[in-house]
Amino acid sequence: MTTVVPTSEDDLSLSVVRFTSELAWADAGPEIAEPQVERLCVEAQECMVMGKWLDLVSLMLTSADLIFSKVSEKDLECVFTVICNAVTKSEDPDQILEMAKLISAKIVQQPNDRPALRLKILFNLYNLLNIPYGRFQVYMKSLNLAINGKVAEHIVPSFKKIDSFLKEWNIGINDQRELFLTISNVLRESKSSAKDSFKFLAKYLATFSGEDAHAMIEAKEEAARAVVEFVKAPDMFQCDLLEMPAVGQLEGDAKYALVYQLLMIFMTQRLDAYLEFQAANSASLKSYGLVHEDCITKMRLMSLVDLGSSESGQIPYALIRDTLQINDDDVESWVVKAISAKLLDCKMDQLNEVVVVSRCTERVFGEQQWVVLRGKLATWKENVANVISTIQANKVPEDASQAMQGVMIR
């Protein structure tokens, strides 16, 4: 029988091979098991001597399914720490990438079996890798494991660092699309903030330009989903969906044209337009899970915002009543709702029954809004210049007066 004497540097790897091999051959009896275990250990040692780290990882992973089912979490974590550490042994980027793929693929095979531990192992592998694209691929595996294993809460905090991750990974447009869409799905499945899920879905849609019309076809369903999520969300009143080609393609689509019309109403029109649309398409709206009463509430707030964007800066109570289709007694309560939602900064002149608006949120912020903003900034700049000129003009006589008083005192 061959006796393997591992070197101190590779002792842990050989120990893992021996451990997993003994588990695999445990039911065969010592006469059959021992030769097989020794054979695998010799093979592992040869891999290390020849620098065949990918083959070594494959050897250690052979009985990975048995490890997950038979050993404690502590031992399991130790075993995979050794396996993952193999990616630090090689200097060949391609080999490192293949090892990372092999290890992560094995870890995510049974997502419902100790998913939190599997995710922890993937995070360890991620931190051991020094290849940016390898890190990206492991992160994608982690996202899918989080969804399938229902452990999204462990990975959601990392979403705050996505911008820095993107700089590090330097991935192409297709990988970015996959990343943004998967993150959006993770947030949706985990019942996290609808606004956060929508943000990443919008990032996904924004990657499509008018030039790649063929590629945009794949985004139709997600574009429609984005519109529905925006309309459903009670705390979202502004978006850039109308400016995105991926959303614009819905306008002429037989299946999703109504969804695009709904978006246009919420972004550019008022309550009366929505009520007319709903009366003609109530069944379609229900099929998208939209609740009519919730849509009315949101549309009233957005209509009020539209009234507040007028150049006069004043909204008569009567106009609010008629536009929102409410009673006179409810006018002020809707203004308060708009203020609470941070859609308006205003004061209510109850004596004159007028709302005086100092700021309002724009539903869309496109070219027209930039022109208006530019005009307001120019006016502000001119006013500031006039104030400075007035102060300087008044300062000269004051200085002269003080000088004369000084002469008189002497």
Side-chain angles (χ1 to χ4, degrees), residues 1-2 18 21-22 25-26 28-41:
M1 182 179 294
T2 306
R18 179 175 293 280
S21 301
E22 288 175 348
W25 292 94
E31 291 184 359
I32 297 176
E34 288 183 10
Q36 293 297 331
V37 171
E38 295 302 328
R39 176 185 63 81
L40 291 170
C41 287

Side-chain angles (χ1 to χ4, degrees), residues 93 96-97 100-101 126 129-140 165 168-172 174-176 178:
I96 295 172
L97 195 58
K101 288 180 180 179
Y126 180 96
L129 287 167
N130 58 7
I131 299 177
Y133 192 68
R135 284 189 156 198
F136 163 70
Q137 292 198 324
V138 171
Y139 190 79
M140 289 302 303
F165 288 164
E168 176 192 346
W169 297 335
N170 193 28
I171 54 178
N174 289 328
D175 286 332
Q176 288 182 40
E178 183 184 7

Side-chain angles (χ1 to χ4, degrees), residues 103-111 118 122 141-142 145 148:
I103 296 170
S104 56
K106 179 63 72 172
I107 292 172
V108 301
Q109 275 185 353
Q110 296 179 337
R118 290 174 185 264
L122 283 177
K141 290 288 187 182
S142 301
L145 176 61
N148 298 327

Side-chain angles (χ1 to χ4, degrees), residues 81-282:
T81 297
V82 174
I83 295 174
C84 292
N85 194 60
V87 301
T88 66
K89 303 287 187 180
S90 176
E91 296 181 359
D92 180 359
D94 293 334
Q95 189 179 51
I96 295 172
L97 195 58
E98 288 304 313
M99 283 191 283
K101 288 180 180 179
L102 193 62
I103 296 170
S104 56
K106 179 63 72 172
I107 292 172
V108 301
Q109 275 185 353
Q110 296 179 337
N112 295 317
D113 178 22
R114 305 193 225 190
L117 179 60
R118 290 174 185 264
L119 198 58
K120 186 177 180 180
I121 293 169
L122 283 177
F123 289 160
N124 181 43
L125 175 61
Y126 180 96
N127 290 325
L128 288 169
L129 287 167
N130 58 7
I131 299 177
Y133 192 68
R135 284 189 156 198
F136 163 70
Q137 292 198 324
V138 171
Y139 190 79
M140 289 302 303
K141 290 288 187 182
S142 301
L143 290 175
N144 289 312
L145 176 61
I147 294 176
N148 298 327
K150 302 187 185 304
V151 286
E153 67 274 10
H154 294 291
I155 201 168
V156 167
S158 69
F159 297 164
K160 296 178 182 178
K161 301 178 182 178
I162 286 299
D163 288 340
S164 63
F165 288 164
L166 287 172
K167 291 179 182 178
E168 176 192 346
W169 297 335
N170 193 28
I171 54 178
I173 196 71
N174 289 328
D175 286 332
Q176 288 182 40
R177 287 171 182 167
E178 183 184 7
L179 173 68
F180 294 145
L181 185 56
T182 305
I183 291 177
S184 177
N185 290 334
V186 169
L187 290 167
R188 184 175 61 166
E189 291 294 327
S190 66
K191 309 300 181 184
S192 297
S193 166
K195 187 178 290 187
D196 290 336
S197 175
F198 175 82
K199 180 181 75 172
F200 282 100
L201 183 57
K203 283 179 177 288
Y204 162 77
L205 295 172
T207 63
F208 293 90
S209 63
E211 290 75 34
D212 47 14
H214 180 72
M216 281 200 303
I217 295 175
E218 71 180 64
K220 277 186 179 181
E221 185 176 343
E222 305 305 335
R225 173 189 144 196
V227 173
V228 173
E229 285 191 6
F230 173 77
V231 173
K232 279 184 178 180
D235 57 347
M236 285 196 289
F237 301 94
Q238 185 181 55
C239 72
D240 298 324
L241 292 179
L242 284 178
E243 299 177 10
M244 298 179 185
V247 176
Q249 68 177 330
L250 302 181
E251 183 177 11
D253 186 83
K255 183 178 180 180
Y256 296 119
L258 286 177
V259 175
Y260 185 83
Q261 291 177 34
L262 182 65
L263 178 65
M264 285 291 294
I265 289 170
F266 269 79
M267 300 309 298
T268 64
Q269 299 183 53
R270 295 178 181 174
L271 178 62
D272 57 341
Y274 165 73
L275 292 174
E276 183 180 346
F277 179 83
Q278 190 276 336
N281 302 284
S282 59

